[in-house]
Amino acid sequence: MSIVRGKGMTRWALVVAAAAVLCAAPSVVSSLPVHATQLSAGQLRQRIAASGTQQYSGYARTQSELGLPNLPAVGSVTSLLSGVTNVRVWYAAANANRVDVIDTVGERDVYETPLGEFTWDYGTGVLTEVFGSEPVRLPTAGDLLPPDLARRVLSMDPVDPPISLPPRRIAGIAAAGIRLRPTDPATTVGQVDIWADPDTGLPLRVEITAKGAAKPIITSQFVSVTPGKPDASALQPPTNGGLAQAAAPDIVGRIAGFNDGFQLPPSLAGYHLQPQLNGLTAVGRYGPGLATFIVLPLPRNIVQSAADTALKAGALKVTVPRGRAVVIGIPLLSVLLVEVEHGRRSYLLAGFVNRTTIEQAARQLVFLGRPIR
């Protein structure tokens, strides 16, 4: 886990965090037959949604092909969402778990403990205690593990009914599967496939496929998994290295400081404003389920800098009245930056909606134009 600081945080972590507020592994199949479960698709969905207390340890691999440009100060997030990540995990509870990211460079471990969060860098031998809470934060490897990813998707889409999938043997477990197909015509999500242990509901594999795509954009699967409480010693941070302290990036405070008193419109592009996110009164979330997008008002100079860098990374210009806009072409996720000509406030839009919808919202936003005091 990296702690993002300074000017790079101001310009770029907010961009990726906004997209985050909105998350091909090898197939491990034995020769043993897999029998269908007696659970209905609806029953399996309920069991998966209620699996948050399940304890386990294992090894997982995620592959994401979102194709984010290489943004300054958030390189670890870029690689997480645009490549293969190998992860070891021990999970006993929300405040008692460990996630290790293993790559060719080394190993970075994150410990959640009753005393707080700690990170361990194997290469430097330094343990860092992270102070402060992060109601809105940059995505981490733990967010893409099958249990967290599956439950997050199901919580976002409480409406569309699931259908059953053929069972598969995953990490030695005869897993049952369900598929969600969002029905909103504007969503970029074509389908979400989830396989889980039918006895416990623990998700074992998740595939997210963009609309019109031939293969999943995001795949997360356990290669091996052991249900039950992990060894307590694995959950204890190491004590044989250097010690450091760092503050959690205050994304909420930064956003609130930019947008004090700002009011977003009750609807955009035909979608209604949803309840606020984690106390961020100036961050708008529009649309239900997996057809949702957010609007983040930001000072014009920040959006201008981000748009210039995005254009150099291959973003496309979009025609809007009273300003300029650029759209970042990412499968599954639409990201658009709008720089308004008059007034100091501009906008970042990001979400699981198609380009037509997010451009329509941007064209409506440019007429708000209320300056920051």
Side-chain angles (χ1 to χ4, degrees):
M1 172 179 171
S2 59
I3 303 298
V4 183
R5 302 182 179 86
K7 192 173 182 180
M9 166 65 187
T10 303
R11 291 185 175 177
W12 285 112
L14 289 174
V15 175
V16 180
V21 165
L22 289 175
C23 94
S27 179
V28 182
V29 182
S30 78
S31 59
L32 296 176
V34 182
H35 300 289
T37 178
Q38 298 301 312
L39 294 176
S40 68
Q43 289 171 328
L44 182 58
R45 175 179 182 147
Q46 291 176 353
R47 197 160 289 187
I48 293 170
S51 67
T53 59
Q54 294 297 321
Q55 298 176 321
Y56 62 90
S57 56
Y59 180 84
R61 179 169 295 169
T62 68
Q63 179 164 325
S64 178
E65 299 180 8
L66 287 180
L68 285 174
N70 188 18
L71 304 178
V74 288
S76 61
V77 177
T78 300
S79 61
L80 176 65
L81 298 178
S82 302
V84 176
T85 305
N86 296 304
V87 181
R88 284 198 307 252
V89 58
W90 295 260
Y91 186 90
N95 66 346
N97 62 81
R98 169 184 167 187
V99 176
D100 297 357
V101 176
I102 306 163
D103 56 29
T104 56
V105 177
E107 178 181 318
R108 296 174 304 280
D109 308 343
V110 178
Y111 294 80
E112 296 289 348
T113 77
L115 298 178
E117 180 180 301
F118 296 84
T119 66
W120 167 259
D121 189 307
Y122 183 83
T124 62
V126 173
L127 180 70
T128 302
E129 183 177 5
V130 182
F131 288 99
S133 60
E134 300 174 275
V136 175
R137 58 173 175 75
L138 301 179
T140 66
D143 297 325
L144 291 186
L145 288 170
D148 281 12
L149 184 58
R151 289 191 293 265
R152 186 173 295 110
V153 169
L154 293 184
S155 69
M156 290 180 66
D157 186 1
V159 177
D160 294 308
I163 61 174
S164 295
L165 290 173
R168 300 177 64 170
R169 189 165 295 277
I170 300 173
I173 297 174
I178 58 173
R179 171 173 291 171
L180 290 178
R181 280 186 174 152
T183 54
D184 192 301
T187 183
T188 55
V189 180
Q191 64 189 39
V192 180
D193 295 345
I194 303 171
W195 283 270
D197 183 338
D199 295 330
T200 64
L202 180 68
L204 303 172
R205 180 179 173 97
V206 180
E207 297 178 356
I208 302 178
T209 304
K211 188 175 291 184
K215 64 177 183 178
I217 299 296
I218 297 175
T219 302
S220 180
Q221 176 179 307
F222 279 115
V223 177
S224 62
V225 65
T226 303
K229 189 174 183 178
D231 190 328
S233 63
L235 303 176
Q236 300 300 317
T239 58
N240 58 347
L243 296 175
Q245 294 179 335
D250 185 16
I251 296 175
V252 171
R254 292 173 185 269
I255 294 174
F258 293 146
N259 302 299
D260 185 30
F262 183 75
Q263 297 295 320
L264 283 161
S267 65
L268 283 172
Y271 289 95
H272 295 297
L273 184 65
Q274 302 297 314
Q276 68 186 47
L277 296 165
N278 295 306
L280 297 178
T281 56
V283 177
R285 180 172 64 94
Y286 293 84
L290 292 173
T292 188
F293 64 95
I294 66 165
V295 175
L296 175 57
L298 292 171
R300 183 183 175 192
N301 65 317
I302 291 179
V303 172
Q304 183 181 45
S305 174
D308 289 342
T309 304
L311 284 171
K312 294 176 183 177
L316 301 175
K317 292 183 179 180
V318 175
T319 301
V320 296
R322 300 176 56 187
R324 71 160 183 163
V326 300
V327 61
I328 301 174
I330 304 173
L332 203 66
L333 187 67
S334 295
V335 180
L336 192 144
L337 296 154
V338 186
E339 180 188 346
V340 182
E341 287 180 352
H342 303 290
R344 293 170 52 198
R345 178 179 281 110
S346 294
Y347 304 93
L348 164 70
L349 297 84
F352 302 115
V353 293
N354 57 34
R355 179 173 166 178
T356 299
T357 301
I358 212 161
E359 287 183 16
Q360 180 183 348
R363 292 188 178 97
Q364 295 172 356
L365 281 170
V366 295
F367 291 101
L368 295 180
R370 179 178 169 186
I372 294 178
R373 292 183 173 86

